[in-house]
Amino acid sequence: MSTHLSEQEIIRREKLAELTKLGIDAYPAPLYPVSHYSTAVKAGFNEDTKEEYKDVCIAGRIMSVRDMGKACFAVLQDSHGRLQIYVRRDDICPGEDKTLYDVVFKKLLDIGDIIGVKGFVFTTKTGETSLHVKELTVLTKSLKPLPVVKEAEGQTFDAVTDPEFKYRQRYADLIINPQVKDTFVKRTIMINTIREYLNEHGALEVDTPVLQTIPGGATARPFSTHHNALDVPMYMRIANELYLKRLIVGGFDWVYEFSRNFRNEGMDRTHNPEFTILEWYTAYKDYFWMMNVTENLLERIAIALHGTTDVTVGDKNISFKAPFKRISIFEAIKENTGIDVSNLEEDGLRDVCKQLNIRVDGTMGKGKLIDELFSETSEAKCIQPTFIIDYPVEMSPLTKKHRSKAGLVERFELMINGKEVANAYSELNDPIDQRDRFEDQVKLKERGDDEAMFIDYDFLRALEYGMPPTSGIGIGIDRLCMLMTNQPSIQDVLLFPMMRPEKTVE
């Protein structure tokens, strides 16, 4: 980031000074009485409704100007879209003083400046709905020029695609690439749809701590910090699971939270160290019920965003029509490798990994070896929504043992387009079994697995009061948004993704 001013930036500052000399405040304080937005004007105006558009006030950023001497056409961009305006000198300067048009509008305003205009709507000879300006107000002088983007007939031909610019200067990206905003509008619609669905079915939205003394609820490397007043080490949460389960112990039947989680791990097209997870826990339910609810919810989201259950993702068509395919993790591995690993212990699993050229190390226990086998051989082949079910107990320290299959737990992961989108269990509510599982995690940590879980003694104490049979799920909101908006990278669905600090150049 340079503190050196470019020639254009210097010129804009000089124009700001000229505006001030003319007595024009380029950053006025009073409310500006916006009455209409661009898209609503274009959608609503016609010969039958023109009387309703005789007195319109809009505000927005100047995106282009076509100078015709004593009149100009310009395009304003507001939060909804763009609208052409027609500015004529004698209309905004009805008296002898033409400074507002000749000097302010034509010489001191630039592309990117924000103005407010009042006037009436009409249709040009070429059929374009436009605003005939009767009054113009300077609202904000832009001191940094926008990147130049070529457009014609509403289409962008050379949108800025440089990731360094897009993700670091998202504010500018949103201005010059209007389609980017649509992704984030859809993200909000998606989240609101989820809220509506859960609230309709009796769930209660809650908040749980972000700063935790024990980072529990998942196997991941946490960010650590320090609480000065208490003089204790603390961690940014890696999951909110254990707190939500405490609420089930306390008597709530169905709780959910959109949780901002933090994991001190790598970054790639599907991982950001700070991300959003939706988790909910429902008493007296199991993972079969959870599969039904999940597929119905995703079907509803697809319809809310696209009007259909078919969603285009890259060159694929993903159908979110319920029900989804269900297959065990061992069956998936066998289906894709021809090898049945369901009865193998750690040494046998290592041999299979070696046979398949899958790299593993000595810190990996049985659970991680099976996870690696599935990830390397099967995950990418789950294109249509697929519930991978019935995991080995070693992979799932917080999950109830399977009711009929020894050595397995009642868990599923939802895979879509080759990536995990959700993870769910029939929750472990046996405090003795849970303590044993935590202790197994400690042994893995002692072997060097820095993602293994800590023992949360307070959570064990909560379980000892008795947690009813419960089903819980975590859904990756960012990954789900990638699918639902056809974005190839998680950075494209995060307004401000993680980036290296920008170097300052004097």
Side-chain angles (χ1 to χ4, degrees):
M1 179 170 57
S2 175
T3 57
H4 173 73
L5 295 179
S6 68
E7 181 181 359
Q8 281 295 317
E9 289 171 318
I10 292 170
I11 291 172
R12 288 188 178 222
R13 280 163 171 77
E14 291 172 348
K15 290 181 179 182
L16 174 62
E18 290 298 317
L19 287 170
T20 303
K21 287 180 183 178
L22 290 171
I24 296 174
D25 183 355
Y27 308 100
L31 171 152
Y32 190 76
V34 172
S35 63
H36 292 74
Y37 292 94
S38 57
T39 51
V41 169
K42 290 192 285 188
F45 178 79
N46 55 51
E47 280 301 308
D48 295 329
T49 62
K50 64 182 181 180
E51 288 299 310
E52 300 172 23
Y53 294 90
K54 290 178 66 175
D55 187 12
V56 169
C57 178
I58 71 168
R61 195 180 294 272
I62 300 171
M63 299 305 293
S64 66
V65 176
R66 185 154 47 95
D67 189 350
M68 301 182 296
K70 294 182 180 181
C72 289
F73 279 104
V75 173
L76 284 196
Q77 177 172 290
D78 62 16
S79 61
H80 291 215
R82 295 183 177 187
L83 181 69
Q84 180 172 269
I85 63 173
Y86 175 65
V87 185
R88 192 168 64 180
R89 183 173 67 171
D90 290 343
D91 287 329
I92 66 170
C93 304
E96 293 184 6
D97 185 358
K98 307 298 183 183
T99 303
L100 181 60
Y101 182 85
D102 290 342
V103 179
V104 176
F105 184 71
K106 293 190 67 172
K107 296 180 179 179
L108 300 183
L109 292 185
D110 295 292
I111 303 299
D113 289 351
I114 299 171
I115 61 172
V117 291
K118 297 179 181 179
F120 63 89
V121 181
F122 73 107
T123 303
T124 65
K125 293 179 181 179
T126 59
E128 183 166 357
T129 300
S130 305
L131 181 72
H132 189 127
V133 177
K134 291 293 188 178
E135 183 180 319
L136 183 149
T137 304
V138 178
L139 297 177
T140 302
K141 179 64 185 171
S142 170
L143 300 183
K144 184 175 285 293
L146 293 169
V148 176
V149 176
K150 293 179 182 177
E151 297 176 338
E153 298 180 357
Q155 299 296 313
T156 301
F157 291 97
D158 61 347
V160 176
T161 58
D162 174 33
E164 174 72 16
F165 172 84
K166 286 172 63 67
Y167 304 145
R168 195 177 295 282
Q169 297 188 50
R170 179 68 82 187
Y171 36 85
D173 180 41
L174 288 165
I175 295 170
I176 63 174
N177 295 327
Q179 71 280 3
V180 172
K181 183 181 289 185
D182 183 57
T183 296
F184 295 101
V185 170
K186 286 181 177 176
R187 179 184 173 112
T188 296
I189 293 171
M190 182 185 81
I191 290 172
N192 288 343
T193 301
I194 294 170
R195 275 200 171 94
E196 290 165 5
Y197 181 93
L198 293 175
N199 292 343
E200 285 170 12
H201 288 78
L204 179 71
E205 186 170 8
V206 298
D207 293 308
T208 63
V210 174
L211 285 175
Q212 303 178 354
T213 54
I214 295 175
T219 54
R221 184 184 300 116
F223 286 94
S224 59
T225 185
H226 187 83
H227 193 293
N228 291 334
L230 297 178
D231 192 24
V232 294
M234 300 199 79
Y235 303 90
M236 303 290 282
R237 72 176 166 203
I238 56 174
N240 57 347
E241 175 172 345
L242 301 188
Y243 282 95
L244 293 177
K245 286 181 180 177
R246 286 171 169 91
L247 297 179
I248 298 296
V249 171
F252 291 102
D253 274 352
W254 190 346
V255 292
Y256 73 94
E257 181 178 16
F258 287 93
S259 173
R260 202 69 172 169
N261 291 353
F262 307 84
R263 298 184 183 178
N264 199 352
E265 299 167 348
M267 298 185 292
D268 58 31
R269 295 175 75 82
T270 59
H271 293 86
N272 193 70
E274 179 181 358
F275 60 98
T276 303
I277 288 282
L278 163 69
E279 292 201 29
W280 80 70
Y281 294 82
T282 315
Y284 311 111
K285 306 300 183 185
D286 64 10
Y287 78 142
F288 290 115
W289 173 88
M290 187 64 79
M291 281 185 260
N292 295 336
V293 171
T294 302
E295 60 194 9
N296 289 334
L297 173 60
L298 266 59
E299 183 178 77
R300 179 159 162 175
I301 292 168
I303 292 171
L305 292 178
H306 305 288
T308 175
T309 54
D310 290 335
V311 177
T312 299
V313 182
D315 59 355
K316 307 179 188 76
N317 180 72
I318 306 292
S319 174
F320 286 92
K321 180 68 176 175
F324 301 163
K325 178 181 177 180
R326 304 178 185 190
I327 183 174
S328 78
I329 189 170
F330 289 134
E331 289 170 345
I333 293 171
K334 184 176 180 180
E335 189 177 275
N336 291 294
T337 67
I339 302 172
D340 184 356
V341 300
S342 60
N343 294 314
L344 297 181
E345 295 301 322
E346 191 172 314
D347 289 343
L349 291 167
R350 288 185 184 280
D351 290 341
V352 172
C353 287
K354 184 176 181 181
Q355 177 184 337
L356 297 174
N357 296 315
I358 297 172
R359 292 185 62 183
V360 295
D361 60 57
T363 69
M364 293 182 176
K366 183 177 178 180
K368 278 216 165 183
L369 291 169
I370 294 170
D371 190 29
E372 200 69 17
L373 273 167
F374 174 76
S375 297
E376 293 296 322
T377 66
S378 307
E379 188 173 279
K381 298 179 181 179
C382 298
I383 303 302
Q384 297 301 319
T386 303
F387 290 118
I388 303 297
I389 66 173
D390 298 347
Y391 283 68
V393 66
E394 292 86 356
M395 291 182 68
S396 311
L398 298 169
T399 313
K400 185 171 287 189
K401 289 179 180 176
H402 202 284
R403 66 195 71 179
S404 62
K405 300 175 183 177
L408 302 183
V409 293
E410 296 194 348
R411 172 188 178 188
F412 72 77
E413 288 186 302
L414 175 60
M415 301 290 172
I416 307 175
N417 199 34
K419 296 295 179 184
E420 175 202 341
V421 174
N423 187 20
Y425 317 144
S426 293
E427 301 294 336
L428 179 58
N429 63 339
D430 179 341
I432 296 173
D433 188 2
Q434 182 64 83
R435 184 180 294 270
D436 291 341
R437 307 267 197 102
F438 275 150
E439 289 173 351
D440 288 340
Q441 288 287 302
V442 170
K443 291 174 185 175
L444 289 174
K445 189 172 285 291
E446 290 170 349
R447 287 174 58 175
D449 185 348
D450 57 5
E451 294 184 350
M453 289 187 183
F454 292 69
I455 296 181
D456 188 332
Y457 290 103
D458 179 70
F459 176 66
L460 290 173
R461 178 170 59 189
L463 285 187
E464 288 172 355
Y465 281 103
M467 184 175 82
T470 297
S471 184
I473 190 169
I475 298 177
I477 292 297
D478 307 316
R479 288 188 183 177
L480 183 59
C481 187
M482 288 171 61
L483 289 167
M484 291 293 181
T485 61
N486 192 21
Q487 297 299 324
S489 171
I490 194 171
Q491 286 80 13
D492 292 317
V493 298
L494 299 174
L495 281 166
F496 301 102
M498 181 74 70
M499 299 191 73
R500 289 185 183 277
E502 194 171 5
K503 292 182 179 179
T504 301
V505 179
E506 295 296 337

